[in-house]
């Protein structure tokens, strides 16, 4: 049997998911994306998991969609199969927080995959870019849409039109990345952040994620209403009673994630 393209293990309430095509710098082919989606969906549906860390190798988070697989494709091929639609679209619907722990290259579809995650923590050797223009194409899964939202129009245009890469420091300054850490600390830092998140009440974590994402997709008044309704809804949970009671009793809350 061939080796899995996506490895996964759990550590308490945290799932660690590792892209495992290191020789091809984790180039994203259909088989890898299928496996990735299956693994993420499994963790998403598992009540015992509260947060997910997605990572690659030391050299590459992912160097993009598989160029060898794409080279012979025709318009009819990609249109009829909705190439990169399908499962990629489904990745958006993962409801638990996903932290991208990015070391090395996150290029093209790799950068888009990182941007699909909720938080990006970068190693100091990380390099981000959308170099599709050099291949005679453009980004195909959100690069032209999510990158400007993350770093602003000027820098997004610069990266997308020139294909230049951005290092971790620039990515943090621009707002794409939440933290930069030494490469040998990357996984610990990401797993620690995930452990903190997974210790919070799961319904409030999921609603917080939904609400922040709504900020990108709705006018302010609708986003505010969506937030307020979710805020109100959380008063129906046992964890709200427990969280507040624990504060009043000066102790740590024991959340039951319900
Ligand atoms: C297929 C890839 C690949 C890719 C690297 N490899 N990136 N194979 N698709 N995207 C393979 C190489 O062919 C090589 O295989 C091996 O990985 C190591 O790569 P090298 O180029 O030898 O490494 P290095 O010299 O260190 O250069 C690293 C690199 C370069 C700068 C990241 O590999 C590179 O520019 N890759 C392509 C980046 C890119 O253009 N990405 C966008 C793709 S389009 P062999 O067999 O020779 O050892 C895209 C569209 C998104 O993502 C659409 C939505 C999904």
């Amino acid at each position: 049997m061939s080796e899995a393209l996506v490895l996964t293990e759990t550590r308490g309430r945290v799932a660690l998911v590792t892209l495992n095509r290191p020789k091809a710098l984790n180039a994203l082919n259909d088989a890898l994306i299928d496996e990735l989606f299956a693994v993420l969906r499994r963790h998403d549906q598992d009540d015992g998991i509260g947060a997910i860390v997605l990572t690659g190798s030391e050299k590459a988070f992912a160097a993009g969609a598989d160029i060898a697989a794409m080279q012979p494709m025709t318009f009819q091929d990609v249109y009829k199969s909705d190439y990169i639609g399908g499962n990629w679209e489904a990745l958006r619907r993962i409801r638990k927080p996903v932290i991208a722990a990015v070391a090395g290259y996150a290029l093209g579809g790799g950068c888009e995959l990182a941007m699909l995650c909720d938080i990006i923590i970068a190693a100091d050797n990380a390099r981000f870019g959308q170099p599709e223009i050099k291949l005679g194409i453009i980004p195909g899964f959100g690069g032209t849409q999510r990158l400007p939202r993350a770093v602003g129009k000027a820098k997004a245009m610069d990266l997308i039109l020139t294909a230049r890469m951005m290092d971790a420091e620039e990515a943090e300054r621009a707002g794409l990345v939440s933290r930069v850490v030494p490469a040998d600390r990357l996984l610990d830092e990401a797993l620690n952040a995930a452990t903190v998140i997974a210790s919070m009440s799961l319904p409030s974590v999921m609603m917080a994620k939904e609400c922040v994402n709504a900020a990108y997709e709705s006018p302010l008044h609708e986003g505010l209403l969506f937030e307020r309704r979710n805020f109100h809804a959380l008063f129906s949970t046992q964890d709200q009673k427990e969280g507040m009671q624990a504060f009043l009793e000066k102790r740590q809350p024991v959340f039951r994630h319900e």
Side-chain angles (χ1 to χ4, degrees):
M1 213 177 95
S2 58
E3 209 185 343
L5 295 167
V6 176
L7 307 175
T8 188
E9 61 188 270
T10 56
R11 301 188 182 185
R13 290 181 50 76
V14 171
L16 173 62
V17 176
T18 306
L19 305 177
N20 186 38
R21 229 193 139 196
K23 288 201 186 94
L25 304 185
N26 290 328
L28 305 164
N29 59 16
D30 284 346
L32 186 152
I33 291 294
D34 283 351
E35 275 187 42
L36 176 61
F37 177 60
V39 165
L40 290 177
R41 188 170 49 181
R42 185 150 44 82
H43 291 313
D44 205 32
Q45 290 171 347
D46 179 346
D47 279 346
I49 296 297
I52 301 165
V53 172
L54 175 62
T55 196
S57 69
E58 283 167 23
K59 190 172 175 198
F61 177 74
D66 191 315
I67 299 169
M70 285 188 294
Q71 195 279 336
M73 291 178 183
T74 64
F75 169 77
Q76 284 85 342
D77 295 332
V78 293
Y79 179 72
K80 284 197 291 186
S81 69
D82 194 20
Y83 179 64
I84 64 141
N87 269 349
W88 279 79
E89 202 53 45
L91 288 172
R92 274 182 62 201
R93 292 196 290 273
I94 300 295
R95 300 178 72 206
K96 289 179 185 159
V98 184
I99 299 177
V102 175
Y105 297 109
L107 301 177
C111 187
E112 292 170 310
L113 180 60
M115 288 192 289
L116 225 109
C117 297
D118 303 299
I119 298 172
I120 302 177
I121 299 182
D124 49 14
N125 73 342
R127 318 233 6 226
F128 297 87
Q130 297 287 165
E132 287 90 340
I133 202 99
K134 284 204 291 192
L135 301 169
I137 57 170
I138 63 171
F141 196 70
T144 65
Q145 305 302 302
R146 290 198 179 92
L147 194 59
R149 282 168 166 82
V151 305
K153 176 182 166 186
K155 202 175 278 286
M157 279 288 191
D158 177 1
L159 293 165
I160 290 168
L161 296 182
T162 70
R164 84 170 170 88
M165 292 184 213
M166 173 162 73
D167 67 17
E169 201 190 305
E170 183 180 359
E172 187 187 26
R173 236 185 303 125
L176 179 67
V177 156
S178 73
R179 316 179 193 180
V180 178
V181 296
D184 61 357
R185 292 267 319 129
L186 177 67
L187 219 47
D188 282 348
E189 186 87 6
L191 288 168
N192 287 343
T195 303
V196 169
I197 292 169
S199 74
M200 308 298 177
S201 169
L202 185 56
S204 62
V205 166
M206 290 170 68
M207 282 191 193
K209 167 170 169 163
E210 253 187 304
C211 286
V212 173
N213 282 334
Y216 288 92
E217 289 174 13
S218 37
L220 183 60
H221 69 277
E222 278 178 23
L224 290 171
L225 182 61
F226 185 66
E227 177 193 68
R228 198 154 66 244
R229 285 289 172 270
N230 280 289
F231 172 75
H232 291 159
L234 286 166
F235 284 75
S236 68
T237 64
Q238 292 197 10
D239 284 348
Q240 174 264 332
K241 298 289 172 290
E242 166 61 13
M244 295 190 181
Q245 190 65 31
F247 174 83
L248 296 173
E249 292 174 4
K250 301 188 189 305
R251 62 172 173 83
Q252 289 300 312
V254 182
F255 288 130
R256 294 165 57 182
H257 308 292
E258 51 191 40

